[in-house]
Structure formats: structure tokens, C-alpha cells
Amino acid sequence: MSKGSLDAPAKPVNSLSHEVHSEDVTPLQVLSPEGEVINPEFMPDLTDDQLKEIMYRMVFTRAWDDRAINLGRQGRLGFYAPVSGQEGTMVGSEYALTKDDFVCPGYRDMPQLVWHGLPLYQAFLYSRGHQHGGQIPEGVNVLMPQIIIGAQILHATGIAMGFKLKGEKRVAITYTGDGGSSEGDFYEGLNYAGSFKLPVIYFVQNNGYAITTPFAKQTGAQSIAHKALAAGIRGLQIDGMDVLAVIYAVQQAAAIARDGGGATLIEALTYRFRPHSMSDDATKYRTKEEEQEWSLRDPLIRFGKYLESKGLWSEEDTARVREEAKNTVNEHIKKAEQTEKMTVNGLIDSMFETTPAHLEEQKADFQ
Amino acid sequence: MAQMNMIEAIKDAMRVELKRDPNVLIFGEDVGHVGGVFRATEGLQAEFGENRVFDTPLAESAIGGLAVGLGTQGFRPIAEIQFVGFIFEALDQMFVQAARMRYRSGGRYNAPIVFRTPFGGGVKAAELHTDSLEGLAIQTPGIKVIVPSNPYDAKGLLISAIRDNDPVFFMEHLNLYRAFRDEVPEGEYTVPIGKANVVREGADVTIIAYGLMVHTAKKAADELAKEGINAEIIDLRTLMPLDIDTIVESIKKTNRAIVVQEAQKTSGAAAEIIAQINEKAILHLEAPVLRCAGPDTIYPFAQIEDAWLPTPARIVKTAKQVLEF
């Protein structure tokens, strides 16, 4: 039996002469959990209408998530990764960009795609496993959700290089979770962006868990933001339950990137109130206390209180938006269900620009 | 016309395409300033600039991912993986991301990428420089696989590959880079992807080969000719899609065939070729189709690779087995 333990001390007990050090990080915050402005210097420049639009999108996304869970249970949706709790990071980070900017999502990041222009019924088709779900409309600058954790980090890096080569003032943003920051592709992407000074934002939604594995088991690093140092890019940590902090950070990073200043890694501390996926039981690895503690930081409550204090939002507004979301979801799930069924021959024809002879031949089996 | 070896022909193809299409980019490890470890891109950065031909950090997955990202933005990347054994680092980007881009986006995006990689034995290289990994590629839906055997084909096929709007794995045999010179036309011409070439006509047995094995088969055919046996040699040139029609036409004439591959025996290109022959030409066969291939070991240590790789003598022996069946 080993006498050792895999639980390392929080900090190295000894030090080397000439050892490199990094500063501790503190998350950027604008609003307190009570919805009070505690750091006005980081307040993004937003009109009242914009503030209301952001709240509208967050409430809509929460209602959509609620409805999607039910649709999943009814068998009307397939693969679905819940998002409740992460509306601040998802809605805020997308809102901070322009429609010309490019989004490379992970599999949980459907809200960013929809708010960037992907029709909701196509998001549902993606969930149901229909090819039309991935047929992104022309002019909507997103890739399909990425299942291979880390692969999207490299695609955003390449897309950002394309913007740089064309001299376009556009930014690519890509998302992964805390577990994703352990992948080789995560590091390779950051490092390429550092080397080529690319206009890209690596946005990590650290919700504390990669399925059942807590963040402390991913790395000995104090934060994910620190990993930027290894690549020579900017890194910062933000309160991901604070949508204004998210918007501020992404707007700043985007402005620097557009100005030729290169890439930024943003680590947003957040929490998902629901399980990892519909086939996951979070009660096996999370405590009720922990869930309650995080629910006090709910981005909707916090931002809602702030807007209420400014007279911009009320409970009636929330109820109205939830009703509207429910109707929109119903309309779009119907549209998804009415979409023409795929055929095997259609799949064969979508493999290459010109279908090679052997595939043409294989169609005969499916006439 | 100019006399070129295969590496010069490959460089010429890239030069022609860099000039013709401003979206063509070349990148990889050491391909820029120095012009590649085999000088396949020598002088191209000086001629076309660092925005068209550039070095990357040493990370193959990122080279693949960069190509996929750039491909979605209208660029036509030629991404070099320095040696074939290093594609394992890039497999997700090559065989998952690039190969599936058109399909999973229902045609909204595509991956007009050429992944160039040197491979192939007989040069006493270090580990993982020479393995024949085409078998992995041909069983991956969505990516085409090309293995040229001479300078003329290499240039014409590479131009076709660069112009193809789907991803291509372009495998360049190390032992053929500077093996001989051939007449290669100046300027642009294409060799169609998916078309094999009958490089020697014969009536007694068909030898199907690609890459260096085309030349080993030619030596074997010379030996067989001394005994009055006329072998027909097919150079496949493209492994995916496979030109099964040319193979079947030849077998209708010879009624016998063998497949020669440098890769280990099991589940490689030869297995697929034989399966397709069984489906399409069984009534024309007088004997089973046999494989002449490396044994199912890991690629051999340099000191013993000449014995491990198919030799003219082993090809002659395999051909005689089907002739005497």
C-alpha cells in the first residue's frame, strides 16, 4: 500500500532560487451578488435599452433551457447540455461582440450561436441529430457545436489568422469548460495565438466540474487564467455570474484584438444549476449546500436586481419574457419536427463536392 | 519541358498554384525561411512573402486546426506534417475535423486542404519517419488519399489536390524524392484524382502497386519477362477514391493479380483492393489475388528494413504463386 497521497498541498512547500512566480488573481466584478455596482470603473458603456435587451436574452435562455429539459424527457430533443446558471457568460460574451465576429462553440454553447443568428429550430435539429442543424445560414458567423473538446480552440485560432491575413478588424471567440483547459489543443491554440499575435478570445467557462471531476483534479495551477502566461497572451479571471463583468472583459479583449494587440484568455467562474447532460446525475458528486450557495449568485437575480433598482425591469417583465420564450420554443420545435427527413443517399451526396464513383454505386443499396 | 526530380516537381506545383490563386497558403514546421527539411518549399517564401508561406510553432494538431479554421474563411491551405509518424498528433484535425466539415455542416463549410506528408521506407530514417499509414486514411470517410510515384504525376496530382474543394492526404515517398528525373511540363497541368495508370502492359498477371512499390514491381516484371512472363503493372496514384475500373479491365485480360504494398499486410489498401476485385471480377480470376506486403510488425529498425520491405524477388515469388495456382 502506498503511503503517499494524490492530494497535493495547495502551494509548493519548498522554493528554488530563481524560480518564476506569478501573481495571485482576483476575479473582475462589477455587480455584487445583491446587484449593487461595486466597481463602477469596470461598468461597460450600455444604454438602458441595451441593458434591457441583455436581461431579455438571459431570461429567454433560462426559459428555453427549462423547456429543453422537458422536451428532452418527452423524446422531442436528443443530445442536450443544460445551460442554466451560465446565462451571464453565454449571453454576455456574445453580446459584447459584433455580428461580424466569429463564434467557435463547444457542445454546451448553443445559446451563443442562437443569439449570434442561428435559428432556434436549427439548434433543435442539431439536438435531434439532423444534418440541417449544421447548415449555418450564410452571414451567420459561427461553426457548429464542437464535440471534440479542444478542437474548436484551434479552429478559432485559424479563423483569427484568416482575419489577420485579410486585414479585417474581426475577432474570433471560442469556448471551452474547465476540463477542456487540460487538453493539448487548448495549450496549442493559445500558444499559436501568442506566436502569431492573433485576434482571438479564448473564453473558459469554469463551472467547477468536468462531468464528475472537480476543477481541483484538473490542474495544480491556481487558476486557468494563469495558463495564458505559458502562451504569452493576456489572461484574466472574471465573475461569470456577473453579466456586466463578462461584457466589460470581452469588449476590452475584443478592442485590443481589433487593434492588433493579440489574444486574451478569459476564465469566467460560473456554475451550472443542472447536471452536465441529460444522462448525468449531479447529486452523486455535488452537495445541496454547494448548489444553494451558488444559487445566491444566480446571474438573473443579480442583474435583475440591478435593473429593478434603475426602474428598468420588473417581475412582470420576467413573466412576459418567459411566456414569449415558451411560445417561440414551441413554434420552433414544431418547425424542427416538420423538417423533411434525411435520406442515406442525401448523406452520401453531402460527403464531397463531387460524389466519387464508389459512393454513387453504394446509393443503389438505399433506393 | 524540364527535367525535374519529384521534389522539384512538387515545389513547382505549389509555385504554380501560389501564383494562380491568392488564397493558397503554405505552412508547417520549417517550411518557410529554410524551405522545408527536404527543400520542397525552398524559395517560395522569398517569392511570395511571409503571409503566404510561413513557419509554425512545433505542434501538429495546431497545424491541422489552423488549416481547418483557414479553410472555413476561403483560404486553400497546404499544411505540411514534417514526417508521416507525426500525423498521429494531428489525426483529429485531419481525419475528424477536416474530413467531416462538409458533411456535418450540410455543405455550408468545406475543407479545401492538402495535408502533405513525406513517408516511405528504405532510407534508414529514425523511428516513425517512414511508416505507411495510408490504410488509416482510406478507411476515413471524407478525405482523399494520393500517393504519386514519379515527378510528372506528383506535379499534376498536387495541382489537382490543391484545386480540390475537399481535403486530400498527399503522401510523398522519401525514397522517390530525388531518385530520378523526368520530363515535367512547365506551367500548369493536372492529373485527375482517382485515375490509375497502366505503366507497363502485359497479358499474364496484373501487379497493382503505388508509391515506391511501382518501381520495385517494374524490377520484378523485368525478372519475370526473362522467364517469358508478361506482367501488367498498374500504378494506382490515388488510393481514395480507388480506380477499380482500370483494375478490373486489366484482370479481364490477365485473369490473375497480385497487390504490392509497402505497409504491413493486414487491413491495408491491398485488402480493400482485393475485396473490390472479388465483388467485381471474380469470374475473370483463375487464381486468388495475393498480397505482397510487409509482415504485421511495427515498422522495422533501420538496419533490417531492406529485408522487411517487399523486394523484386518477393514480388516475383508472389506472382508465380498466382501463376502456378
Side-chain angles (χ1 to χ4, degrees):
Chain A
M1 288 288 281
S2 164
K3 285 182 187 162
S5 164
L6 283 176
D7 295 330
K11 296 225 168 180
V13 281
N14 297 314
S15 61
L16 283 172
S17 56
H18 297 77
E19 179 185 320
V20 295
H21 290 284
S22 58
E23 311 269 324
D24 288 352
V25 294
T26 30
L28 168 69
Q29 227 179 2
V30 177
L31 295 178
S32 72
E34 292 71 39
E36 285 155 16
V37 178
I38 49 176
N39 289 307
E41 68 273 34
F42 303 133
M43 177 62 83
D45 188 16
L46 296 164
T47 65
D48 287 353
D49 281 346
Q50 287 175 316
L51 290 169
K52 284 197 279 188
E53 172 65 18
I54 293 158
M55 186 62 184
Y56 172 89
R57 292 183 184 192
M58 285 168 61
V59 172
F60 188 108
T61 303
R62 175 72 56 89
W64 157 21
D65 195 57
D66 291 343
R67 187 80 185 106
I69 304 284
N70 286 330
L71 288 170
R73 289 190 182 124
Q74 293 164 19
R76 296 173 75 188
L77 282 181
F79 171 74
Y80 184 73
V83 301
S84 285
Q86 299 186 204
E87 295 89 346
T89 55
M90 292 174 163
V91 169
S93 60
E94 193 284 328
Y95 194 80
L97 299 170
T98 74
K99 293 295 175 219
D100 282 339
D101 296 326
F102 207 103
V103 180
C104 295
Y107 51 76
R108 198 181 300 280
D109 302 309
M110 205 50 109
Q112 295 95 304
L113 300 194
V114 168
W115 294 120
H116 214 59
L118 180 72
L120 191 56
Y121 85 96
Q122 286 190 266
F124 293 154
L125 283 172
Y126 179 84
S127 169
R128 291 163 63 90
H130 191 296
Q131 191 173 34
H132 182 50
Q135 284 176 316
I136 311 295
E138 204 68 45
V140 176
N141 293 304
V142 304
L143 283 183
M144 301 73 72
Q146 181 55 246
I147 294 294
I148 302 299
I149 296 172
Q152 74 277 22
I153 301 275
L154 297 177
H155 300 161
T157 308
I159 288 164
M161 175 170 271
F163 295 159
K164 185 169 177 170
L165 287 173
K166 290 188 210 170
E168 295 174 343
K169 299 268 179 205
R170 297 165 72 188
V171 173
I173 189 167
T174 183
Y175 298 87
T176 192
D178 39 312
S181 70
S182 301
E183 290 278 0
D185 282 353
F186 175 80
Y187 172 70
E188 288 189 23
L190 268 58
N191 189 58
Y192 266 51
S195 169
F196 290 113
K197 300 274 177 296
L198 300 177
V200 53
I201 298 169
Y202 301 103
F203 195 101
V204 180
Q205 297 173 86
N206 181 352
N207 63 25
Y209 292 91
I211 310 191
T212 69
T213 306
F215 177 58
K217 295 223 186 287
Q218 291 295 341
T219 177
Q222 187 197 135
S223 78
I224 293 171
H226 276 98
K227 296 190 177 194
L229 298 174
I233 65 173
R234 278 173 301 280
L236 74 156
Q237 194 181 61
I238 63 175
D239 183 340
M241 306 300 259
D242 175 359
V243 71
L244 294 177
V246 173
I247 292 172
Y248 177 82
V250 174
Q251 279 182 341
Q252 291 271 307
I256 293 169
R258 283 185 226 287
D259 211 29
T264 301
L265 167 64
I266 297 173
E267 176 191 17
L269 303 177
T270 181
Y271 199 76
R272 56 176 160 73
F273 297 140
R274 291 210 156 91
H276 162 75
S277 71
M278 297 304 289
S279 49
D280 170 43
D281 177 5
T283 61
K284 288 195 172 143
Y285 55 90
R286 294 200 310 210
T287 62
K288 274 258 175 300
E289 294 71 43
E290 179 186 296
E291 286 177 12
Q292 268 161 9
E293 189 190 317
W294 276 94
S295 70
L296 297 175
R297 300 181 221 171
D298 188 327
L300 271 62
I301 295 173
R302 182 186 308 200
F303 191 52
K305 280 181 182 167
Y306 169 69
L307 292 190
E308 279 168 32
S309 75
K310 288 172 69 91
L312 295 173
W313 200 262
S314 66
E315 276 181 31
E316 291 74 51
D317 288 320
T318 296
R320 174 181 53 80
V321 176
R322 287 191 65 90
E323 184 62 20
E324 195 181 317
K326 201 178 108 187
N327 293 336
T328 307
V329 167
N330 285 345
E331 187 189 309
H332 280 261
I333 192 74
K334 273 188 204 122
K335 191 168 176 189
E337 286 168 342
Q338 285 161 2
T339 300
E340 203 180 334
K341 286 193 170 59
M342 290 180 290
T343 64
V344 176
N345 285 352
L347 294 183
I348 287 174
D349 281 337
S350 69
M351 284 293 300
F352 296 99
E353 184 176 46
T354 309
T355 303
H358 71 286
L359 276 173
E360 281 294 349
E361 236 178 77
Q362 288 170 23
K363 283 189 196 170
D365 295 340
F366 303 94
Q367 295 298 0
Chain B
M1 292 288 245
Q3 287 279 322
M4 291 187 198
N5 64 29
M6 197 163 94
I7 205 136
E8 289 162 347
I10 285 166
K11 178 165 71 183
D12 201 40
M14 290 191 277
R15 194 169 167 271
V16 164
E17 289 305 285
L18 279 166
K19 213 167 195 171
R20 195 185 69 93
D21 184 347
N23 291 314
V24 172
L25 302 176
I26 296 176
F27 52 85
E29 294 156 11
D30 312 298
V31 304
H33 177 63
V34 163
V37 291
F38 295 103
R39 306 296 178 260
T41 51
E42 193 169 42
L44 296 180
Q45 189 183 69
E47 186 174 351
F48 296 97
E50 285 183 43
N51 282 354
R52 303 288 306 283
V53 182
F54 52 89
D55 292 316
T56 63
L58 199 169
E60 288 78 14
S61 186
I63 291 172
L66 206 63
V68 172
L70 285 162
T72 66
Q73 301 305 305
F75 289 96
R76 308 187 74 83
I78 305 172
E80 180 180 305
I81 305 293
Q82 201 162 64
F83 286 99
V84 71
F86 315 160
I87 70 165
F88 289 108
E89 273 62 38
L91 278 193
D92 174 55
Q93 293 296 340
M94 293 172 65
F95 291 2
V96 179
Q97 307 300 335
R100 289 174 181 239
M101 186 58 87
R102 181 184 294 278
Y103 182 85
R104 67 188 296 265
S105 71
R108 169 65 175 85
Y109 297 110
N110 62 315
I113 302 165
V114 181
F115 295 103
R116 286 185 49 242
T117 306
F119 84 108
V123 294
K124 305 259 185 293
E127 271 188 278
L128 281 161
H129 283 55
T130 47
D131 300 49
S132 291
L133 301 181
E134 64 276 13
L136 297 176
I138 61 174
Q139 70 105 53
T140 299
I143 190 162
K144 296 174 182 177
V145 185
I146 295 175
V147 190
S149 71
N150 60 71
Y152 177 89
D153 284 352
K155 179 174 170 182
L157 283 165
L158 184 51
I159 291 176
S160 294
I162 295 165
R163 295 180 187 182
D164 200 288
N165 284 324
D166 290 302
V168 176
F169 186 33
F170 196 86
M171 301 179 71
E172 302 166 5
H173 202 292
L174 284 163
N175 218 340
L176 294 173
Y177 266 160
R178 295 185 171 88
F180 58 95
R181 287 176 185 276
D182 238 354
E183 289 289 327
V184 174
E186 314 266 2
E188 56 177 287
Y189 67 91
T190 56
V191 170
I193 295 171
K195 283 274 171 278
N197 194 16
V198 178
V199 293
R200 178 184 174 120
E201 301 222 9
D204 299 327
V205 59
T206 301
I207 304 178
I208 301 154
Y210 55 96
L212 179 68
M213 288 301 114
V214 172
H215 302 279
T216 313
K218 282 180 183 169
K219 288 177 193 156
D222 289 343
E223 292 302 311
L224 288 165
K226 287 178 193 162
E227 299 179 47
I229 300 162
N230 288 318
E232 176 147 304
I233 300 176
I234 296 175
D235 177 357
L236 291 172
R237 303 196 288 196
T238 301
L239 297 180
M240 175 59 69
L242 186 71
D243 183 2
I244 190 66
D245 291 348
T246 296
I247 295 170
V248 168
E249 278 313 301
S250 177
I251 288 172
K252 280 182 184 169
K253 185 169 65 171
T254 62
N255 310 116
R256 289 176 169 84
I258 65 169
V259 188
V260 187
Q261 70 178 21
E262 183 173 327
Q264 71 282 2
K265 193 167 190 176
T266 299
S267 297
E272 175 57 29
I273 292 161
I274 293 168
Q276 291 199 33
I277 292 171
N278 282 338
E279 287 167 2
K280 301 196 180 222
I282 192 95
L283 294 177
H284 297 285
L285 287 174
E286 296 287 345
V289 182
L290 297 185
R291 285 172 284 184
C292 185
D296 287 324
T297 70
I298 289 167
Y299 191 84
F301 295 93
Q303 291 292 310
I304 197 172
E305 67 178 342
D306 289 341
W308 189 94
L309 292 165
T311 56
R314 278 184 56 209
I315 296 173
V316 167
K317 193 177 157 195
T318 311
K320 283 187 177 172
Q321 278 177 285
V322 302
L323 285 158
E324 290 158 12
F325 180 75

